[in-house]
Amino acid sequence: MSVNKEVKRITTHVLHSMKASSEKIAVLTGYDFSMARILDAGGIDVILVGDSASNVMAGHETTLPITLDQMIYHAASVVRAVQRALVVVDLPFGSYQGNSKIALESTIRIMKESGAHAVKLEGGEEVAESIKRILSAGVPVMGHLGLTPQSIYKFGTYTVRAKEDAEAQKLLDDAQLLQELGCFGIVLEKIPAQLAKKVSESLWIPTIGIGAGPHTDGQVLVTHDMLGITKDFQPRFLRRYLDLFDLVREAVEQYIKDVKSQDFPNEREQY
Ligand code: KIV
């Protein structure tokens, strides 16, 4: 039997056992109560309250505008829905970089006000002090390397990262550092599959890939992308499991027809 099926509640320790027993970890993003309830009922291992909420929930072009208060609102909604999954919350842009005291304050607000189980932040050596301080308060931390969308204006493009040797070596070094500091896992975003394999094999903590190939210890997708709610975003790594945009639009069109034609509500749909 899988490690996953034996447990009532996923913890960071369960994720470590899953890596040790080569059971892949399934992660999806969640931002609201109703969707989180469905993800949890489906048996997802981890719900990431990603700062991608800035894009898919609020319609911003980047993840930079979302605030700590908004992340806490999303996280609290998800936590209220979840019985089994581990809930990890992104520290938003500006809430942890360059000042470990602010990083700890932001984390404490997330943990106290949302009831989440862990936080995630982007970067390696540059954010080491923030990671240490958060861990010293007993809060599990997940790292995020490769394409780190909060640095989009530094990169200039959302293209694959670490294709060159120097950047690949820095990523390998950063991954080691995050493990040594005590991170419980690392998201690897949009890097070559062979590099993700090398990183994953060099660590005992799990790697969770997005656009990083099949060799990471788990996979994460943005729920709105895999369900086809977002229509225009079509990167090569994305597998769509539904085309909800069209399904919902068709339902809306039918509802409008029914209202206009006075088919809705009928005799059984009234008091
Ligand atoms: O914000 C997010 O959804 C993420 C995932 C894409 C890993 O960080």
Side-chain angles (χ1 to χ4, degrees), residues 45-56:
D45 298 314
V46 179
I47 297 182
L48 171 64
V49 184
D51 58 359
S52 50
S54 179
N55 310 109
V56 297

Side-chain angles (χ1 to χ4, degrees), residues 1-21:
M1 185 183 275
S2 64
V3 174
N4 176 333
K5 292 255 164 64
E6 287 166 24
V7 292
K8 285 208 168 69
R9 181 116 228 175
I10 303 286
T11 64
T12 57
H13 303 280
V14 172
L15 299 183
H16 293 160
S17 311
M18 288 170 74
K19 169 148 184 163
S21 64

Side-chain angles (χ1 to χ4, degrees), residues 9-268:
R9 181 116 228 175
I10 303 286
T11 64
T12 57
H13 303 280
V14 172
L15 299 183
H16 293 160
S17 311
M18 288 170 74
K19 169 148 184 163
S21 64
S22 302
E23 180 180 344
K24 296 281 184 181
I25 299 165
V27 183
L28 284 170
T29 62
Y31 319 103
D32 68 279
F33 177 85
S34 302
M35 186 66 84
R37 218 152 64 147
I38 301 173
L39 303 181
D40 197 51
I44 200 74
D45 298 314
V46 179
I47 297 182
L48 171 64
V49 184
D51 58 359
S52 50
S54 179
N55 310 109
V56 297
M57 300 302 286
H60 293 296
E61 208 174 300
T62 73
T63 57
L64 276 67
I66 199 159
T67 65
L68 184 59
D69 283 337
Q70 288 165 341
M71 288 303 295
I72 290 170
Y73 168 80
H74 288 298
S77 307
V78 167
V79 167
R80 281 193 287 273
V82 165
Q83 291 182 349
R84 183 173 174 283
L86 182 82
V87 179
V88 181
V89 182
D90 263 340
L91 279 162
F93 177 68
S95 73
Y96 64 94
Q97 293 97 336
N99 187 327
S100 63
K101 185 168 176 284
I102 290 179
L104 181 58
E105 282 167 8
S106 305
T107 301
I108 288 174
R109 279 203 60 205
I110 289 177
M111 301 301 283
K112 266 191 186 294
E113 295 176 39
S114 77
H117 312 131
V119 295
K120 172 167 89 56
L121 48 73
E122 297 182 5
E125 182 236 320
E126 334 57 68
V127 289
E129 286 310 313
S130 292
I131 293 175
K132 272 193 226 162
R133 198 137 178 189
I134 296 168
L135 285 166
S136 74
V139 178
V141 177
M142 184 172 222
H144 184 155
L145 299 172
L147 177 66
T148 46
Q150 291 178 11
S151 304
I152 186 57
Y153 293 117
K154 182 176 88 182
F155 298 143
T157 152
Y158 285 101
T159 194
V160 179
R161 301 306 314 174
K163 277 168 55 181
E164 308 301 330
D165 287 351
E167 197 178 335
Q169 188 55 54
K170 171 156 171 35
L171 194 145
L172 279 158
D173 294 344
D174 278 341
Q176 281 300 328
L177 176 66
L178 294 185
Q179 175 173 271
E180 276 160 30
L181 290 174
C183 288
F184 72 88
I186 304 176
V187 167
L188 297 177
E189 181 163 353
K190 249 186 159 183
I191 61 170
Q194 284 310 310
L195 176 61
K197 182 172 191 275
K198 202 166 165 190
V199 175
S200 304
E201 287 173 356
S202 74
L203 301 176
W204 67 266
I205 59 171
T207 57
I208 307 294
I210 174 163
H215 307 294
T216 51
D217 303 301
Q219 297 291 330
V220 55
L221 284 176
V222 170
T223 296
H224 288 58
D225 296 336
M226 63 84 82
L227 293 179
I229 296 173
T230 50
K231 221 177 156 49
D232 303 330
F233 184 62
Q234 293 174 338
R236 185 195 321 185
F237 68 77
L238 175 62
R239 184 177 293 181
R240 285 201 198 284
Y241 289 82
L242 273 179
D243 196 352
L244 263 194
F245 186 100
D246 286 337
L247 285 172
V248 173
R249 196 198 53 214
E250 279 160 28
V252 170
E253 286 169 359
Q254 187 59 50
Y255 169 72
I256 294 167
K257 263 192 210 143
D258 291 350
V259 170
K260 305 268 180 198
S261 67
Q262 299 181 42
D263 176 76
F264 176 79
N266 64 26
E267 273 152 36
R268 280 170 285 112

